[in-house]
Amino acid sequence: MIKKFLLERISWIILIVLLPLLALILAYLDPALSINSIFYYVFLSLVISFLFVVIRYFKETSFYKELSLRDSTTDITSLPEPSSSFESFIHKQITSSIEQLEKDASTSRLLLEQEKDDLLSWIHEVKTPLTALKLIIDRSEDHQLKSDLMHEWLRIHYLLDQQLHQKRIPFIENDLFIEKVELESLLYSEIHMLRSWCLKKKIGFDVELVSTHVLTDAKWLSFILRQLLTNAVKYSEEGSEITIQSANQMGQTILTLEDNGRGIDPRDVPRVFDKGFTSTSKHQDQHATGMGLYLAKKAAIPLGIRISIQSTLGRGTTVTLTFSKENRFLQIQGV
């Protein structure tokens, strides 16, 4: 701060030094002036000037020192109090900018909330004709047409469901209800929804559950399984089988979903949970949104579920869900 202060006041300091020097030059040129008196004047002026600079340093830099130590925050009460007109000007500019920023941020938040509410309302409105459409499809007697329509209906249904949960994830803590959940019924419910798609691709399921119950939120676990199962079916080869197994290891339930699909390129595996990431090997895939695994990971974190992926390109992918120990959840929930 001293260096900055001296550099800022360098012109004034030069002037203070030049004035006594000018007095010495005049004493040298004019014999009528006493050289001793001039030296005495120069000495006093330099001492006074030095004291003046020191006093001004402490007075003028205190505001800026407090400003430099202040945390980067929009709290205007943390700003130091100004003690001069220039400091008041700076204080006014900062506070007015922060107040305008807060005002704009508040407006943006309101608009974002309104947009989110409108989107959620639209999704719920669309569900009504979508349900009616499914009833119409169910009444169709043309099996091929029924299968094709059901496949497209399922895609729309899952995209809407994905969008709905995406908007709810930031507030997932307000929506959690931790309870004993039966894995088998949850899995079969999700598999049943994929029935028409699986029949079309001739994909079967081999389910073997050693550990049958987990302590979690049923609705959000269903959403996570939905994303993983749709990915498994989407990328599985026709006529293949998806294996689902559960086990108990050291008090933790491990659930694995293994498919025999196209697999994932090793360089893509660390990025599969990134928002919007699809693939580098199949980048032309227009049906991939890059949101399924990202949302599954986001939903799994508050539930204490760890998701990991192992994959071999061209041979398939295995997704592992590792659930938290029950005693940890009981402590968190205060049960």
Side-chain angles (χ1 to χ4, degrees), residues 172-173 175-181 214-221 302-305 325-326 328-335:
I172 186 173
E173 287 83 0
D175 191 39
L176 292 180
F177 179 69
I178 306 301
E179 60 182 339
K180 279 273 188 181
V181 176
V214 289
L215 192 62
T216 188
D217 181 280
K219 183 171 65 177
W220 283 101
L221 179 58
L303 293 174
I305 301 172
K325 292 183 179 181
E326 290 190 5
R328 178 174 174 270
F329 252 128
L330 290 171
Q331 290 171 4
I332 292 172
Q333 297 299 316
V335 178

mmCIF file of all heavy atoms in Angstrom, residues 172-173 175-181 214-221 302-305 325-326 328-335:
data_model
loop_
_atom_site.group_PDB
_atom_site.id
_atom_site.type_symbol
_atom_site.label_atom_id
_atom_site.label_comp_id
_atom_site.label_asym_id
_atom_site.label_seq_id
_atom_site.Cartn_x
_atom_site.Cartn_y
_atom_site.Cartn_z
ATOM 1 N N ILE A 172 -34.772 -30.805 -4.294
ATOM 2 C CA ILE A 172 -35.024 -32.208 -3.985
ATOM 3 C C ILE A 172 -35.074 -32.460 -2.479
ATOM 4 O O ILE A 172 -35.828 -33.310 -2.005
ATOM 5 C CB ILE A 172 -33.948 -33.102 -4.651
ATOM 6 C CG1 ILE A 172 -34.285 -34.592 -4.453
ATOM 7 C CG2 ILE A 172 -32.558 -32.795 -4.144
ATOM 8 C CD1 ILE A 172 -33.364 -35.528 -5.214
ATOM 9 N N GLU A 173 -34.286 -31.697 -1.690
ATOM 10 C CA GLU A 173 -34.269 -31.908 -0.233
ATOM 11 C C GLU A 173 -35.641 -31.678 0.389
ATOM 12 O O GLU A 173 -35.967 -32.275 1.416
ATOM 13 C CB GLU A 173 -33.244 -30.984 0.434
ATOM 14 C CG GLU A 173 -31.787 -31.380 0.212
ATOM 15 C CD GLU A 173 -31.244 -30.879 -1.109
ATOM 16 O OE1 GLU A 173 -32.016 -30.212 -1.846
ATOM 17 O OE2 GLU A 173 -30.064 -31.138 -1.419
ATOM 18 N N ASP A 175 -38.366 -32.541 -0.945
ATOM 19 C CA ASP A 175 -39.306 -33.533 -1.471
ATOM 20 C C ASP A 175 -38.956 -34.960 -1.045
ATOM 21 O O ASP A 175 -39.602 -35.909 -1.458
ATOM 22 C CB ASP A 175 -39.309 -33.431 -3.009
ATOM 23 C CG ASP A 175 -40.440 -34.216 -3.646
ATOM 24 O OD1 ASP A 175 -41.546 -34.213 -3.088
ATOM 25 O OD2 ASP A 175 -40.208 -34.838 -4.701
ATOM 26 N N LEU A 176 -37.915 -35.117 -0.226
ATOM 27 C CA LEU A 176 -37.474 -36.462 0.137
ATOM 28 C C LEU A 176 -38.327 -37.067 1.248
ATOM 29 O O LEU A 176 -38.698 -36.390 2.199
ATOM 30 C CB LEU A 176 -36.007 -36.434 0.587
ATOM 31 C CG LEU A 176 -34.951 -36.111 -0.476
ATOM 32 C CD1 LEU A 176 -33.565 -36.131 0.133
ATOM 33 C CD2 LEU A 176 -35.031 -37.079 -1.649
ATOM 34 N N PHE A 177 -38.614 -38.356 1.099
ATOM 35 C CA PHE A 177 -39.283 -39.123 2.146
ATOM 36 C C PHE A 177 -38.566 -40.467 2.236
ATOM 37 O O PHE A 177 -38.759 -41.350 1.398
ATOM 38 C CB PHE A 177 -40.771 -39.314 1.839
ATOM 39 C CG PHE A 177 -41.487 -40.121 2.886
ATOM 40 C CD1 PHE A 177 -41.691 -39.614 4.163
ATOM 41 C CD2 PHE A 177 -41.942 -41.403 2.595
ATOM 42 C CE1 PHE A 177 -42.339 -40.367 5.141
ATOM 43 C CE2 PHE A 177 -42.609 -42.156 3.561
ATOM 44 C CZ PHE A 177 -42.796 -41.634 4.835
ATOM 45 N N ILE A 178 -37.696 -40.595 3.219
ATOM 46 C CA ILE A 178 -36.868 -41.789 3.348
ATOM 47 C C ILE A 178 -37.659 -42.903 4.032
ATOM 48 O O ILE A 178 -38.224 -42.709 5.108
ATOM 49 C CB ILE A 178 -35.585 -41.485 4.147
ATOM 50 C CG1 ILE A 178 -34.838 -40.298 3.523
ATOM 51 C CG2 ILE A 178 -34.689 -42.707 4.220
ATOM 52 C CD1 ILE A 178 -34.439 -40.496 2.083
ATOM 53 N N GLU A 179 -37.696 -44.067 3.375
ATOM 54 C CA GLU A 179 -38.437 -45.204 3.895
ATOM 55 C C GLU A 179 -37.831 -46.499 3.353
ATOM 56 O O GLU A 179 -36.979 -46.479 2.467
ATOM 57 C CB GLU A 179 -39.906 -45.111 3.487
ATOM 58 C CG GLU A 179 -40.091 -45.096 1.982
ATOM 59 C CD GLU A 179 -41.531 -44.952 1.557
ATOM 60 O OE1 GLU A 179 -42.410 -45.264 2.382
ATOM 61 O OE2 GLU A 179 -41.780 -44.556 0.411
ATOM 62 N N LYS A 180 -38.300 -47.620 3.881
ATOM 63 C CA LYS A 180 -37.880 -48.920 3.358
ATOM 64 C C LYS A 180 -38.559 -49.136 2.005
ATOM 65 O O LYS A 180 -39.783 -49.109 1.895
ATOM 66 C CB LYS A 180 -38.289 -50.030 4.314
ATOM 67 C CG LYS A 180 -37.342 -50.224 5.490
ATOM 68 C CD LYS A 180 -36.206 -51.166 5.125
ATOM 69 C CE LYS A 180 -35.379 -51.512 6.366
ATOM 70 N NZ LYS A 180 -34.257 -52.400 6.025
ATOM 71 N N VAL A 181 -37.742 -49.329 0.979
ATOM 72 C CA VAL A 181 -38.268 -49.483 -0.375
ATOM 73 C C VAL A 181 -37.935 -50.879 -0.891
ATOM 74 O O VAL A 181 -36.790 -51.337 -0.769
ATOM 75 C CB VAL A 181 -37.673 -48.412 -1.323
ATOM 76 C CG1 VAL A 181 -38.151 -48.637 -2.750
ATOM 77 C CG2 VAL A 181 -38.036 -47.019 -0.845
ATOM 78 N N VAL A 214 -34.031 -51.382 0.368
ATOM 79 C CA VAL A 214 -33.080 -50.292 0.630
ATOM 80 C C VAL A 214 -33.814 -49.163 1.344
ATOM 81 O O VAL A 214 -35.037 -49.012 1.205
ATOM 82 C CB VAL A 214 -32.432 -49.754 -0.662
ATOM 83 C CG1 VAL A 214 -31.469 -50.743 -1.252
ATOM 84 C CG2 VAL A 214 -33.487 -49.330 -1.680
ATOM 85 N N LEU A 215 -33.066 -48.385 2.087
ATOM 86 C CA LEU A 215 -33.630 -47.228 2.777
ATOM 87 C C LEU A 215 -33.362 -46.000 1.918
ATOM 88 O O LEU A 215 -32.229 -45.520 1.820
ATOM 89 C CB LEU A 215 -32.982 -47.062 4.156
ATOM 90 C CG LEU A 215 -33.656 -46.082 5.125
ATOM 91 C CD1 LEU A 215 -35.069 -46.535 5.467
ATOM 92 C CD2 LEU A 215 -32.826 -45.943 6.399
ATOM 93 N N THR A 216 -34.403 -45.494 1.258
ATOM 94 C CA THR A 216 -34.227 -44.378 0.323
ATOM 95 C C THR A 216 -35.581 -43.745 0.032
ATOM 96 O O THR A 216 -36.590 -44.073 0.664
ATOM 97 C CB THR A 216 -33.557 -44.874 -0.976
ATOM 98 O OG1 THR A 216 -33.226 -43.738 -1.785
ATOM 99 C CG2 THR A 216 -34.455 -45.813 -1.747
ATOM 100 N N ASP A 217 -35.608 -42.843 -0.935
ATOM 101 C CA ASP A 217 -36.861 -42.226 -1.386
ATOM 102 C C ASP A 217 -37.324 -42.964 -2.646
ATOM 103 O O ASP A 217 -36.611 -42.984 -3.656
ATOM 104 C CB ASP A 217 -36.638 -40.733 -1.680
ATOM 105 C CG ASP A 217 -37.916 -40.040 -2.121
ATOM 106 O OD1 ASP A 217 -38.277 -40.178 -3.313
ATOM 107 O OD2 ASP A 217 -38.561 -39.373 -1.295
ATOM 108 N N ALA A 218 -38.503 -43.552 -2.599
ATOM 109 C CA ALA A 218 -38.986 -44.407 -3.693
ATOM 110 C C ALA A 218 -39.156 -43.636 -5.000
ATOM 111 O O ALA A 218 -38.785 -44.125 -6.075
ATOM 112 C CB ALA A 218 -40.314 -45.051 -3.292
ATOM 113 N N LYS A 219 -39.697 -42.421 -4.909
ATOM 114 C CA LYS A 219 -39.982 -41.663 -6.130
ATOM 115 C C LYS A 219 -38.702 -41.283 -6.870
ATOM 116 O O LYS A 219 -38.603 -41.446 -8.095
ATOM 117 C CB LYS A 219 -40.769 -40.398 -5.778
ATOM 118 C CG LYS A 219 -41.178 -39.567 -6.988
ATOM 119 C CD LYS A 219 -42.130 -38.460 -6.610
ATOM 120 C CE LYS A 219 -41.489 -37.439 -5.693
ATOM 121 N NZ LYS A 219 -42.397 -36.315 -5.386
ATOM 122 N N TRP A 220 -37.709 -40.802 -6.115
ATOM 123 C CA TRP A 220 -36.469 -40.372 -6.763
ATOM 124 C C TRP A 220 -35.608 -41.565 -7.176
ATOM 125 O O TRP A 220 -34.888 -41.487 -8.180
ATOM 126 C CB TRP A 220 -35.701 -39.427 -5.853
ATOM 127 C CG TRP A 220 -36.317 -38.062 -5.860
ATOM 128 C CD1 TRP A 220 -37.139 -37.520 -4.916
ATOM 129 C CD2 TRP A 220 -36.189 -37.072 -6.889
ATOM 130 N NE1 TRP A 220 -37.527 -36.243 -5.286
ATOM 131 C CE2 TRP A 220 -36.956 -35.949 -6.497
ATOM 132 C CE3 TRP A 220 -35.506 -37.025 -8.096
ATOM 133 C CZ2 TRP A 220 -37.058 -34.793 -7.264
ATOM 134 C CZ3 TRP A 220 -35.597 -35.870 -8.882
ATOM 135 C CH2 TRP A 220 -36.366 -34.772 -8.462
ATOM 136 N N LEU A 221 -35.674 -42.677 -6.435
ATOM 137 C CA LEU A 221 -34.960 -43.872 -6.875
ATOM 138 C C LEU A 221 -35.566 -44.398 -8.175
ATOM 139 O O LEU A 221 -34.845 -44.842 -9.069
ATOM 140 C CB LEU A 221 -34.998 -44.949 -5.795
ATOM 141 C CG LEU A 221 -34.301 -46.267 -6.147
ATOM 142 C CD1 LEU A 221 -32.834 -46.046 -6.503
ATOM 143 C CD2 LEU A 221 -34.428 -47.266 -5.001
ATOM 144 N N PRO A 302 -28.133 -36.336 -3.118
ATOM 145 C CA PRO A 302 -28.858 -36.133 -1.848
ATOM 146 C C PRO A 302 -29.327 -37.433 -1.211
ATOM 147 O O PRO A 302 -29.555 -37.478 0.002
ATOM 148 C CB PRO A 302 -30.067 -35.268 -2.265
ATOM 149 C CG PRO A 302 -29.702 -34.676 -3.576
ATOM 150 C CD PRO A 302 -28.837 -35.693 -4.238
ATOM 151 N N LEU A 303 -29.491 -38.489 -2.015
ATOM 152 C CA LEU A 303 -29.937 -39.777 -1.488
ATOM 153 C C LEU A 303 -28.770 -40.595 -0.929
ATOM 154 O O LEU A 303 -28.982 -41.678 -0.376
ATOM 155 C CB LEU A 303 -30.628 -40.588 -2.586
ATOM 156 C CG LEU A 303 -31.965 -40.034 -3.101
ATOM 157 C CD1 LEU A 303 -32.453 -40.858 -4.282
ATOM 158 C CD2 LEU A 303 -33.008 -40.019 -2.002
ATOM 159 N N GLY A 304 -27.564 -40.097 -1.075
ATOM 160 C CA GLY A 304 -26.397 -40.830 -0.587
ATOM 161 C C GLY A 304 -26.076 -42.055 -1.425
ATOM 162 O O GLY A 304 -25.469 -43.004 -0.938
ATOM 163 N N ILE A 305 -26.489 -42.027 -2.696
ATOM 164 C CA ILE A 305 -26.231 -43.145 -3.607
ATOM 165 C C ILE A 305 -25.039 -42.792 -4.491
ATOM 166 O O ILE A 305 -25.001 -41.714 -5.084
ATOM 167 C CB ILE A 305 -27.457 -43.456 -4.486
ATOM 168 C CG1 ILE A 305 -28.671 -43.816 -3.615
ATOM 169 C CG2 ILE A 305 -27.160 -44.584 -5.469
ATOM 170 C CD1 ILE A 305 -29.967 -43.948 -4.396
ATOM 171 N N LYS A 325 -25.123 -46.901 3.958
ATOM 172 C CA LYS A 325 -25.486 -47.790 5.054
ATOM 173 C C LYS A 325 -26.717 -47.252 5.759
ATOM 174 O O LYS A 325 -26.872 -46.039 5.921
ATOM 175 C CB LYS A 325 -24.321 -47.913 6.047
ATOM 176 C CG LYS A 325 -23.111 -48.654 5.483
ATOM 177 C CD LYS A 325 -22.024 -48.801 6.522
ATOM 178 C CE LYS A 325 -20.828 -49.575 5.948
ATOM 179 N NZ LYS A 325 -19.761 -49.742 6.951
ATOM 180 N N GLU A 326 -27.574 -48.149 6.192
ATOM 181 C CA GLU A 326 -28.843 -47.732 6.788
ATOM 182 C C GLU A 326 -28.640 -46.922 8.057
ATOM 183 O O GLU A 326 -29.354 -45.943 8.295
ATOM 184 C CB GLU A 326 -29.715 -48.950 7.079
ATOM 185 C CG GLU A 326 -30.251 -49.622 5.823
ATOM 186 C CD GLU A 326 -31.298 -50.663 6.137
ATOM 187 O OE1 GLU A 326 -31.664 -50.791 7.334
ATOM 188 O OE2 GLU A 326 -31.770 -51.345 5.209
ATOM 189 N N ARG A 328 -26.373 -44.835 8.756
ATOM 190 C CA ARG A 328 -26.016 -43.453 8.411
ATOM 191 C C ARG A 328 -27.271 -42.651 8.072
ATOM 192 O O ARG A 328 -27.443 -41.526 8.483
ATOM 193 C CB ARG A 328 -25.037 -43.456 7.234
ATOM 194 C CG ARG A 328 -24.652 -42.045 6.781
ATOM 195 C CD ARG A 328 -23.565 -42.100 5.698
ATOM 196 N NE ARG A 328 -23.309 -40.774 5.169
ATOM 197 C CZ ARG A 328 -23.953 -40.257 4.133
ATOM 198 N NH1 ARG A 328 -24.882 -40.959 3.518
ATOM 199 N NH2 ARG A 328 -23.684 -39.045 3.679
ATOM 200 N N PHE A 329 -28.169 -43.259 7.304
ATOM 201 C CA PHE A 329 -29.407 -42.584 6.951
ATOM 202 C C PHE A 329 -30.293 -42.347 8.170
ATOM 203 O O PHE A 329 -30.941 -41.332 8.287
ATOM 204 C CB PHE A 329 -30.186 -43.389 5.918
ATOM 205 C CG PHE A 329 -30.169 -42.771 4.543
ATOM 206 C CD1 PHE A 329 -29.803 -43.483 3.433
ATOM 207 C CD2 PHE A 329 -30.519 -41.439 4.380
ATOM 208 C CE1 PHE A 329 -29.789 -42.902 2.179
ATOM 209 C CE2 PHE A 329 -30.521 -40.848 3.139
ATOM 210 C CZ PHE A 329 -30.149 -41.586 2.032
ATOM 211 N N LEU A 330 -30.305 -43.311 9.072
ATOM 212 C CA LEU A 330 -31.120 -43.158 10.283
ATOM 213 C C LEU A 330 -30.606 -41.982 11.124
ATOM 214 O O LEU A 330 -31.389 -41.235 11.689
ATOM 215 C CB LEU A 330 -31.094 -44.455 11.097
ATOM 216 C CG LEU A 330 -31.841 -45.649 10.481
ATOM 217 C CD1 LEU A 330 -31.557 -46.915 11.271
ATOM 218 C CD2 LEU A 330 -33.331 -45.380 10.425
ATOM 219 N N GLN A 331 -29.279 -41.818 11.160
ATOM 220 C CA GLN A 331 -28.714 -40.689 11.902
ATOM 221 C C GLN A 331 -29.064 -39.371 11.232
ATOM 222 O O GLN A 331 -29.392 -38.383 11.886
ATOM 223 C CB GLN A 331 -27.190 -40.848 11.993
ATOM 224 C CG GLN A 331 -26.753 -41.991 12.909
ATOM 225 C CD GLN A 331 -25.256 -42.258 12.785
ATOM 226 O OE1 GLN A 331 -24.552 -41.552 12.081
ATOM 227 N NE2 GLN A 331 -24.800 -43.292 13.482
ATOM 228 N N ILE A 332 -28.992 -39.374 9.893
ATOM 229 C CA ILE A 332 -29.297 -38.135 9.166
ATOM 230 C C ILE A 332 -30.751 -37.733 9.363
ATOM 231 O O ILE A 332 -31.093 -36.568 9.588
ATOM 232 C CB ILE A 332 -29.007 -38.326 7.641
ATOM 233 C CG1 ILE A 332 -27.497 -38.484 7.444
ATOM 234 C CG2 ILE A 332 -29.531 -37.142 6.853
ATOM 235 C CD1 ILE A 332 -27.119 -38.860 6.014
ATOM 236 N N GLN A 333 -31.641 -38.720 9.273
ATOM 237 C CA GLN A 333 -33.064 -38.435 9.385
ATOM 238 C C GLN A 333 -33.542 -38.295 10.809
ATOM 239 O O GLN A 333 -34.661 -37.876 11.075
ATOM 240 C CB GLN A 333 -33.871 -39.556 8.684
ATOM 241 C CG GLN A 333 -33.599 -39.642 7.192
ATOM 242 C CD GLN A 333 -33.976 -38.381 6.481
ATOM 243 O OE1 GLN A 333 -35.048 -37.803 6.745
ATOM 244 N NE2 GLN A 333 -33.155 -37.892 5.573
ATOM 245 N N GLY A 334 -32.697 -38.712 11.762
ATOM 246 C CA GLY A 334 -33.085 -38.627 13.169
ATOM 247 C C GLY A 334 -34.157 -39.610 13.549
ATOM 248 O O GLY A 334 -34.964 -39.383 14.429
ATOM 249 N N VAL A 335 -34.166 -40.765 12.824
ATOM 250 C CA VAL A 335 -35.183 -41.790 13.084
ATOM 251 C C VAL A 335 -34.803 -42.567 14.349
ATOM 252 O O VAL A 335 -33.650 -42.923 14.510
ATOM 253 C CB VAL A 335 -35.269 -42.752 11.877
ATOM 254 C CG1 VAL A 335 -36.278 -43.850 12.158
ATOM 255 C CG2 VAL A 335 -35.699 -41.971 10.650
#
